[in-house]
Amino acid sequence: MSGGQSGPVVAAGAVVWRDHDGTPLVLLIHREHHKDVSFPKGKVDPGESVPGAAVREIDEETGYRVHLGAPLGRAEYVLPSGRDKVVHYWSARVSSKEFDRAGRFRPNDEVAAVEWVTVEEARTRLTYERDVAILDRFAERVAAGEHRTFALIALRHAKTLPGSEWNGPDATRPLLPVGRSQAKAAAAPVAAFGPKKIVSSTAARCLATVEPLSASTRIGVSDTPDISQDAHERGRADVDGVVRKRIAKGKSTVLCSHGPVLPDIIARIADDTSGAADRAELRRAAMLSVGDFAVLHIAGETLVAVETHRNTVSA
C-alpha cells in the first residue's frame, strides 16, 4: 500500500487527541511552508504499511509516540501537480504519560508549531474543509462515547509449507521463506495499533508468525489450543471463551490463528459486541489471506469499526 508514480500519492495521519479534565483536545499542526493548519500526516514510503506510516509521521512531526485507534476514513484531493492524493486517517490518543514524556514541542522541517484545542475550536482553525469532515467523524465518536477504543487484531499465520510436502504432524509445519518475510512485514503495521498481549494458536506456523512482532514490541506470546486448527476441527476449541475474556479485559490483543478458525473468531467478536458494524468489512475480516490481519475496534462492548490490511509481501 504505497503511492507509486503512476497512481495516487498515498499518505496517512490521525486526529491526535488527549483527555483534559474530561474533554478531548485535538492536536493541530501549523506548517510554515504551506501556510496552513491541519492534522499530522505524511506520505507512505515505498514498501511501508499505511498504519506504520501514520505512526511514524506523527512521531516525526509532533514528537508524540502514539498507537492508532479506530479509522476515521480518508480524504481525497488533487495536488497542484495534477496527481491524486489519498490520506488515510485514524484517531490516536496521547496518554498523560506520553504527553509528559514528549515534553515541549520543538519546531522541525515540517511543522513550525502545534496547538491543543477543543473540537469546536479546531473547526474554526483548520484550513481545509476535507480536514473538517474528518474532524466531524471524530466528533461523532466523542458524542457517542466511542472515541476511546481497544482493538482485537485477528492475524492469519504467514505462508506455510504445504501439508503434502510435510511428513510430520500438521501443527508442526514451518513457514516458507516468503512466510518468514510476511511475518516480519506484519510486525510494524500490527504494532501500530498498540497490542498489549499476543495470543497465538499452538501451531508452529502461528508461533513463528508472531515472533517478529513479539521481538519488536517486547510482548511475550501466550499460546492456546483454543484457537488452533487441530482443536477447532475436533470440536474442542473454545473460541468464544478466548474472545469473551479479551473483550472483558478491554486491552488491545493480537489473536493469531488459521483460515478455518478466523471466521469463527470474527463471528464471536461480532456476536459478543453491539453496534452497527459494516457487514462487508466483517466478511473481509473473516476471509483473510496468509499474513493479512483485521482490526476490530471496540469501545466498552460496542464494535465501533472494522478494518482489514493486506500483507506488503506477496505470497
Side-chain angles (χ1 to χ4, degrees):
M1 296 174 70
S2 61
Q5 290 300 312
S6 59
V9 174
V10 180
V15 175
V16 177
W17 68 279
R18 66 181 179 93
D19 280 315
H20 180 68
D21 295 333
T23 299
L25 301 181
V26 299
L27 183 66
L28 302 183
I29 64 169
H30 295 250
R31 301 187 301 176
E32 190 67 36
H33 55 296
H34 287 290
K35 299 190 184 305
D36 63 12
V37 178
S38 61
F39 297 125
K41 66 180 183 301
K43 289 190 291 186
V44 178
D45 289 338
E48 186 180 30
S49 71
V50 176
V55 170
R56 175 183 56 76
E57 285 287 346
I58 292 164
D59 186 9
E60 291 177 357
E61 291 191 346
T62 71
Y64 292 115
R65 301 171 188 167
V66 300
H67 295 131
L68 302 180
L72 294 171
R74 59 190 195 180
E76 301 182 23
Y77 52 99
V78 180
L79 295 168
S81 65
R83 283 186 76 186
D84 292 332
K85 185 170 184 177
V86 179
V87 187
H88 298 259
Y89 284 102
W90 287 265
S91 62
R93 176 176 169 267
V94 171
S95 66
S96 56
K97 182 178 180 180
E98 174 60 16
F99 182 71
D100 292 339
R101 183 209 63 79
R104 186 177 178 84
F105 170 78
R106 297 173 182 80
N108 54 62
D109 292 343
E110 292 291 329
V111 180
V114 302
E115 62 175 334
W116 289 98
V117 299
T118 65
V119 171
E120 292 73 21
E121 289 174 313
R123 284 198 182 95
T124 67
R125 305 282 185 92
L126 288 165
T127 302
Y128 308 109
E129 284 300 318
R130 58 180 178 263
D131 287 346
V132 174
I134 297 296
L135 178 69
D136 285 343
R137 290 177 198 140
F138 176 73
E140 289 172 5
R141 297 256 171 87
V142 172
E146 297 174 353
H147 56 302
R148 185 168 183 167
T149 59
F150 67 94
L152 294 185
I153 304 162
L155 170 65
R156 185 173 177 183
H157 67 75
K159 185 74 170 178
T160 310
L161 187 73
S164 59
E165 300 177 22
W166 184 247
N167 294 326
D170 181 75
T172 63
R173 280 194 289 137
L175 296 183
L176 288 167
V178 68
R180 292 194 293 271
S181 295
Q182 288 179 328
K184 291 177 182 177
V190 171
F193 294 96
K196 305 298 184 195
K197 190 175 183 67
I198 301 172
V199 178
S200 171
S201 158
T202 48
R205 54 192 181 273
C206 286
L207 291 169
T209 297
V210 296
E211 187 176 331
L213 173 66
S214 175
S216 65
T217 59
R218 299 181 181 179
I219 299 171
V221 178
S222 300
D223 62 324
T224 173
D226 287 328
I227 57 172
S228 72
Q229 186 168 331
D230 283 351
H232 192 263
E233 290 176 348
R234 294 170 185 165
R236 297 177 182 172
D238 185 16
V239 172
D240 194 31
V242 171
V243 167
R244 287 190 176 186
K245 182 177 181 180
R246 296 331 323 162
I247 293 175
K249 291 288 186 181
K251 301 291 185 182
S252 294
T253 301
V254 175
L255 301 173
C256 184
S257 190
H258 310 258
V261 187
L262 283 164
D264 198 10
I265 291 174
I266 300 303
R268 294 295 184 180
I269 295 173
D271 289 345
D272 290 343
T273 54
S274 60
D278 187 298
R279 308 314 292 184
E281 284 289 358
L282 284 171
R283 285 194 296 272
R284 280 192 285 271
M287 301 300 291
L288 298 175
S289 295
V290 289
D292 293 355
F293 69 95
V295 189
L296 292 89
H297 299 272
I298 301 168
E301 294 185 351
T302 300
L303 183 55
V304 174
V306 182
E307 56 182 310
T308 302
H309 295 273
R310 295 186 64 87
N311 199 287
T312 56
V313 176
S314 299

